[in-house]
Amino acid sequence: MASTICGWCGDRTHMTMQTEPKQVPSSSGYVYMASFRCSSEACHRLSIGSIWRQRDYGSNPQAEMARDVGIQWEPKSIRRPSFQDVPRQIAETATEAHACLSISAYRGAVALARAVVEATAKDHGIIKGPLVAKIDEMHKQNLIREITRQLAHEIREGGNEIAHGDLADEAMPSEDAEAIVALMDEILEEVYQGPARMLTLQKSRLEREQRNAAKKAGA
Ligand SMILES: [Zn+2]
């Protein structure tokens, strides 16, 4: 049984093979494709699992698929995390940056992650200079931590090329895109989500104190 995040229901589930792998010729080898059924009660939909093997490959693709050795899944599971306490337009763009990342659309992911950070700065009245200057200013205004500012300086290069219309000669490596989207997540956490959580805690503490005071006064 293979295990993956189902592209239909989004749950991590076991996939049970429904049909034997079909061998399809591809450049210098074969693709083996089989249908699998999601084990989630609420889903049970079919996905296609594929593995690619060289022409002189001696092993048994069916057994390997059953053992889940490097299967590519279709439909892919697309990550669309939601961002609580972040202004709607910024939150929706951040969600799309993750969706791009999960389908390996790395340039799109980076362009959107940059737009999210730009919009976050603008939301706090920071509009001057290149993005890296805005990140410095966000740190100056105590919106983000020093380590986040430093990290932004280290990983900004790849994103710069896309933002300025110089499409890079080399493909954007997945690790760079992942790092830039992770930086976006961290900035949203520090600027919006963390403070909102603290305010909620503070509010519930105040309410509890008021209730206790009212009880004492009534006693
Ligand atoms: Zn499913």
Side-chain angles (χ1 to χ4, degrees):
M1 233 192 261
S3 154
T4 188
I5 296 180
C6 172
W8 293 106
C9 66
D11 287 348
R12 175 163 285 285
T13 58
H14 288 294
M15 293 284 188
T16 313
M17 201 184 286
Q18 302 292 299
T19 56
E20 287 192 10
K22 296 266 183 292
Q23 189 187 55
V24 183
S26 93
S27 56
S28 73
Y30 294 106
V31 180
Y32 296 91
M33 307 177 91
S35 65
F36 288 79
R37 195 171 82 140
C38 171
S39 65
S40 165
E41 284 292 330
C43 181
H44 280 176
R45 281 186 267 191
L46 296 180
S47 293
I48 300 295
S50 308
I51 55 172
W52 180 89
R53 292 293 180 263
Q54 282 185 332
R55 205 166 283 280
D56 52 2
Y57 188 69
S59 187
N60 174 356
Q62 182 163 7
E64 289 196 14
M65 278 188 141
R67 288 207 323 273
D68 192 9
V69 182
I71 301 178
Q72 300 275 325
W73 294 100
E74 217 41 75
K76 288 184 186 4
S77 93
I78 298 177
R79 255 175 62 73
R80 290 184 173 274
S82 59
F83 291 85
Q84 302 291 324
D85 306 310
V86 175
R88 190 177 57 85
Q89 279 184 329
I90 298 177
E92 286 176 359
T93 309
T95 300
E96 286 186 19
H98 278 276
C100 284
L101 199 58
S102 63
I103 58 163
S104 309
Y106 299 127
R107 294 176 183 85
V110 167
L112 290 179
R114 282 185 60 102
V116 164
V117 179
E118 289 270 3
T120 301
K122 193 174 174 188
D123 189 38
H124 290 81
I126 302 166
I127 49 171
K128 277 201 203 117
L131 183 55
V132 73
K134 289 176 184 143
I135 288 172
D136 284 346
E137 185 59 29
M138 281 200 272
H139 172 253
K140 229 185 244 170
Q141 295 189 16
N142 277 330
L143 292 164
I144 60 169
R145 294 178 300 162
E146 169 60 15
I147 188 151
T148 311
R149 187 192 73 81
Q150 281 175 11
L151 193 64
H153 277 262
E154 284 165 25
I155 65 177
R156 72 200 158 101
E157 297 304 330
N160 265 341
E161 288 167 341
I162 291 168
H164 296 143
D166 306 320
L167 292 180
D169 291 337
E170 288 165 32
M172 154 101 22
S174 62
E175 305 89 69
D176 285 9
E178 277 159 15
I180 290 168
V181 171
L183 179 71
M184 172 198 83
D185 285 350
E186 183 55 35
I187 289 174
L188 293 180
E189 171 65 27
E190 289 175 26
V191 175
Y192 296 111
Q193 294 170 292
R197 267 201 310 277
M198 290 305 114
L199 277 175
T200 307
L201 272 180
Q202 193 178 43
K203 195 166 153 250
S204 67
R205 203 180 69 89
L206 277 173
E207 281 169 1
R208 203 167 52 238
E209 276 179 7
Q210 278 165 359
R211 271 200 311 275
N212 287 343
K215 255 188 222 160
K216 261 189 201 157

